[in-house]
Amino acid sequence: MITTLKKWIKESKSAVFFGGAGVSTESGIPDFRSVDGLYSQKFDYPPEEIISHSFYERKTEYFFRFYREKMLPLGFEPNITHQVLARLEQEGHLSAVVTQNIDGLHQKAGSRNVFELHGSVLRNYCVRCHKLHSAEFVKNHVGIPLCDCGGIVKPDVVLYEEPLDDKVMMGAINAIANADLLIVGGTSLTVYPAAGLINYYRGKRLVLINRDETPFDSYADLVFHDSLGNIFAQL
């Protein structure tokens, strides 16, 4: 099967990679739903409640304490998957990366056309004056990070109850709809609306790479139940 995937990539001119948390776990960044993920850990509130818009509004200081400790992945490096994807883009085979991750590792590896469905921890803005601040500013702040103007500095990440960015979504949809090869990796394909993007693919070469089964396995032309690192190391 890996020979087939290599052949398809070599023949591709507009492949798209659609990835989830499993892309970055091999860089040391924990995911949400695995045995050791955030959802399996014990907090005062369920993690999915803490990273909701209403919780952010209601208990802002607790939100930032959790965010700094669990959701601000600084100091991590791209892994083999990020690196190979960047190389495939440079070689003219990959047209875009669509990611559910917020860590910026695809860009750090060299990928240029990246659609970040859930935003990025690397972008932070004052809700009052809209001045931009670094991730380090938020990380090193005590309590609620405040701008010079007194406004809260909010991470540009999509919380539960918040809509995805229309421009990013349309870019991702167009890239997937026009792809001649779609590789989906490191995602359970159970979180919507992101998981629904796979339905926009019109091509005949759908590849799924995930440790566990997904609801879309039966629709795929190639399925690898393996780690992304193992597969991409062979590419």
Side-chain angles (χ1 to χ4, degrees), residues 115-127:
F115 296 100
E116 297 173 306
L117 299 177
H118 297 150
S120 172
V121 300
L122 302 181
R123 296 188 300 270
N124 302 270
Y125 63 95
C126 173
V127 298

Side-chain angles (χ1 to χ4, degrees), residues 192-217:
Y192 287 81
L197 288 175
I198 197 172
N199 294 317
Y200 289 95
Y201 180 56
R202 297 188 290 239
K204 297 183 178 178
R205 292 178 171 181
L206 173 61
V207 181
L208 297 187
I209 309 169
N210 199 51
R211 287 184 183 274
D212 304 312
E213 293 182 5
T214 79
F216 289 86
D217 281 11

Side-chain angles (χ1 to χ4, degrees), residues 54-226:
S54 55
F55 190 94
Y56 162 80
E57 294 281 356
R58 193 171 71 251
K59 294 184 178 290
T60 310
E61 189 165 355
Y62 191 101
F63 166 85
F64 276 105
R65 179 150 52 95
F66 177 88
Y67 177 79
R68 286 190 191 95
E69 291 179 11
K70 301 296 181 181
M71 294 187 62
L72 198 47
L74 301 182
F76 292 91
E77 294 299 324
N79 59 52
I80 187 69
T81 301
H82 299 106
Q83 293 161 356
V84 171
L85 289 170
R87 191 197 79 212
L88 292 176
E89 182 185 41
Q90 291 159 9
E91 292 175 351
H93 298 297
L94 191 77
S95 64
V97 169
V98 179
T99 180
Q100 299 176 70
N101 297 336
I102 57 176
D103 49 47
L105 291 183
H106 283 293
Q107 291 93 327
K108 195 171 185 179
S111 290
R112 295 187 175 182
N113 195 28
V114 182
F115 296 100
E116 297 173 306
L117 299 177
H118 297 150
S120 172
V121 300
L122 302 181
R123 296 188 300 270
N124 302 270
Y125 63 95
C126 173
V127 298
R128 182 181 295 176
C129 74
H130 304 293
K131 179 181 177 181
L132 298 179
H133 295 267
S134 68
E136 287 76 16
F137 177 88
V138 175
K139 181 79 171 178
N140 298 328
H141 222 88
V142 177
I144 300 171
L146 298 176
C147 180
D148 295 336
C149 74
I152 295 174
V153 176
K154 185 178 184 293
D156 188 15
V157 298
V158 180
L159 304 177
Y160 285 116
E161 304 166 352
E162 293 180 345
L164 301 187
D165 182 274
D166 286 342
K167 186 177 179 181
V168 173
M169 276 293 283
M170 287 309 301
I173 288 171
N174 286 335
I176 290 173
N178 293 303
D180 58 12
L181 168 65
L182 178 60
I183 304 172
V184 182
T187 172
S188 61
L189 290 173
T190 57
V191 179
Y192 287 81
L197 288 175
I198 197 172
N199 294 317
Y200 289 95
Y201 180 56
R202 297 188 290 239
K204 297 183 178 178
R205 292 178 171 181
L206 173 61
V207 181
L208 297 187
I209 309 169
N210 199 51
R211 287 184 183 274
D212 304 312
E213 293 182 5
T214 79
F216 289 86
D217 281 11
S218 60
Y219 299 98
D221 302 288
L222 276 181
V223 178
F224 297 89
H225 288 150
D226 200 346

